[in-house]
Amino acid sequence: MTIAIVGAGLGGLALARLLHMNGIDAVVYERESSRAARGQGGMLDIHSGQRALREAGLIDRFHAIARGEGQDMRLLEPDGTLLLQEDTPDDAPLERPEVDRADLRDLLLDSLPDDMVRWGHTFTSADDGLLRFADGTTATYDLLVGADGARSRVRPLLTDARPAHIGQNAVEIGIPDIDRTHPDLAAMVGRGNYWVLGNGVSLGAQRNGDGRVRIGLSFYGTGEDWFAVSGIPFDDPAAARERLIDLLPGWDSRFTALIAACDDTVVPRPITALPVGLTWPSRPDVTLIGDAAHLMPPVGEGANMALLDGALLGLALASHPDDFPTAVEEYEREMFERTGAAARMSAKIQALLTSPDAARKMLAFFQPD
């Protein structure tokens, strides 16, 4: 029997790896033309997802590319008050190391046979064991796994649920080669994550493995039309940076200097999520993993849950190689409980970020009595 995985993200590739290890036929269909077709985003905080990499036999290779110093964290208020600074000792265990998403994806891709991932296949529909792609080609399957992210085209086969805007709009900017171009700002940000939390606005700066610092400005309590009315001219990066600084009145000049130093990459990102605790009646021939199944606020759980989804579905299928319906039901029972808890925790953190005095409340979250 053949398993078709739609989407070559972390979850889909983790599943493919477990199936390959257990001699189960599977093909990954990915709409991108190659692994290098587009950038894969920034750093990921991998904690619970390390279990998936152990099951996949890749934990040592993961540790070789992970950045332990990425566990460093600094938390500040907009006036410049430093509330928390955690610097990771060089010999600290890799409990929550950071890793470049592209490096982790390459690690998973390199663990698979070359012909297991079919690039340039944009999934359009499926029924009666037949996949259809945008170029007119088709493929057969016995089990279809939607690993195709927030805008999943497989999801409607199982549920009418759609991601909804959560009142957060983010703007992504960044400083390349910061150690060379802005050593003073590099020292301020440090080696890991740098957070400034104000009332209704946050700035997160994150050191990437390639020397770039990615900066996300989030505006909470804003609607789906906020980008249209914000006055940020995304077609004019220099003017967009000036407008972003204008939206931070009273913020310490060190923080606005970070924005002024950014390059011309200015990307708007409306933030959406699926309903917390989403479930669906099990089907014997279709299931979902990763953001397709449980899109959450971006607070550090999504990639970990996707890796676990892929690995645990792979293990369930390996345990029931001749009974896919039982394997799917077993996987979904565990996944619904695990990701429901993660979604509730993510919603709790999201509520802290959107609350008045967010920085002090996050400090209490990190350092409870």
Side-chain angles (χ1 to χ4, degrees):
M1 294 192 286
T2 299
I3 298 172
I5 304 167
V6 175
L10 301 181
L13 294 175
L15 171 58
R17 169 66 178 175
L18 266 295
L19 296 177
H20 173 63
M21 291 174 68
N22 287 280
I24 299 174
D25 289 336
V27 179
V28 181
Y29 297 98
E30 170 54 50
R31 67 179 180 177
E32 294 173 7
S33 59
S34 70
R35 70 165 71 190
R38 68 174 180 88
Q40 293 299 311
M43 304 297 287
L44 299 171
D45 165 17
I46 301 299
H47 41 91
S48 60
Q50 290 189 51
R51 177 188 172 188
L53 297 167
R54 290 190 183 91
E55 298 286 1
L58 300 173
I59 192 66
D60 289 339
R61 278 181 270 179
F62 167 73
H63 286 158
I65 62 172
R67 296 177 56 247
E69 68 274 16
Q71 298 173 106
D72 289 6
M73 186 175 67
R74 300 178 186 184
L75 175 65
L76 303 97
E77 293 181 300
D79 65 2
T81 301
L82 178 65
L83 298 180
L84 177 67
Q85 179 169 336
E86 293 183 343
D87 296 324
T88 309
D90 293 338
D91 59 351
L94 295 176
E95 294 178 350
R96 303 181 68 102
E98 299 279 340
V99 66
D100 190 296
R101 181 187 290 270
D103 290 344
L104 182 54
R105 189 191 195 210
D106 283 345
L107 172 62
L108 290 163
L109 282 167
D110 291 342
S111 73
L112 302 174
D114 290 341
D115 62 353
M116 198 168 182
V117 179
R118 310 286 172 83
W119 301 98
H121 283 68
T122 300
F123 169 81
T124 57
S125 64
D127 57 62
D128 296 327
L130 188 68
L131 297 175
R132 297 178 181 85
F133 301 99
D135 62 1
T137 59
T138 61
T140 59
Y141 68 91
D142 297 290
L143 174 63
L144 170 60
V145 181
D148 50 341
R151 299 177 182 177
S152 172
R153 293 184 177 183
V154 179
R155 188 191 298 122
L157 298 176
L158 290 169
T159 173
D160 293 332
R162 298 290 185 274
H165 195 270
I166 64 171
Q168 176 183 353
N169 289 284
V171 180
E172 182 182 304
I173 50 182
I175 306 173
D177 197 9
I178 191 171
D179 288 314
R180 182 183 63 83
T181 59
H182 298 279
D184 53 334
L185 296 178
M188 180 181 79
V189 170
R191 307 180 303 174
N193 289 284
Y194 187 85
W195 288 99
V196 185
L197 303 182
N199 291 334
V201 184
S202 71
L203 180 153
Q206 183 187 57
R207 179 70 70 105
N208 284 205
D210 61 359
R212 181 179 180 85
V213 163
R214 295 171 70 94
I215 298 168
L217 280 168
S218 286
F219 300 87
Y220 304 100
T222 54
E224 292 183 73
D225 64 344
W226 186 78
F227 284 125
V229 301
S230 66
I232 303 172
F234 289 100
D235 58 348
D236 184 345
R241 291 192 294 271
E242 291 181 7
R243 176 57 182 158
L244 289 170
I245 291 172
D246 289 342
L247 291 171
L248 303 176
W251 280 48
D252 189 278
S253 62
R254 293 172 295 170
F255 308 143
T256 56
L258 272 176
I259 300 171
C262 289
D263 63 10
D264 287 347
T265 301
V266 184
V267 182
R269 297 198 185 281
I271 306 300
T272 61
L274 285 166
V276 173
L278 175 66
T279 65
W280 53 81
S282 188
R283 276 183 52 172
D285 59 340
V286 184
T287 192
L288 303 172
I289 63 177
D291 284 350
H294 43 68
L295 180 66
M296 305 175 195
V299 295
E301 291 294 336
N304 289 277
M305 291 299 105
L307 287 167
L308 284 168
D309 288 351
L312 296 177
L313 175 56
L315 290 173
L317 290 164
S319 296
H320 306 283
D322 300 316
D323 188 358
F324 286 180
T326 295
V328 168
E329 288 185 4
E330 181 180 289
Y331 154 72
E332 288 178 344
R333 279 196 301 271
E334 188 280 337
M335 182 270 288
F336 290 150
E337 181 177 355
R338 168 175 46 84
T339 62
R344 288 189 291 274
M345 176 58 72
S346 296
K348 177 180 178 181
I349 296 173
Q350 183 73 9
L352 293 177
L353 292 171
T354 63
S355 64
D357 201 17
R360 299 281 173 171
K361 290 180 179 177
M362 284 301 296
L363 177 64
F365 177 81
F366 287 125
Q367 295 186 330
D369 293 336

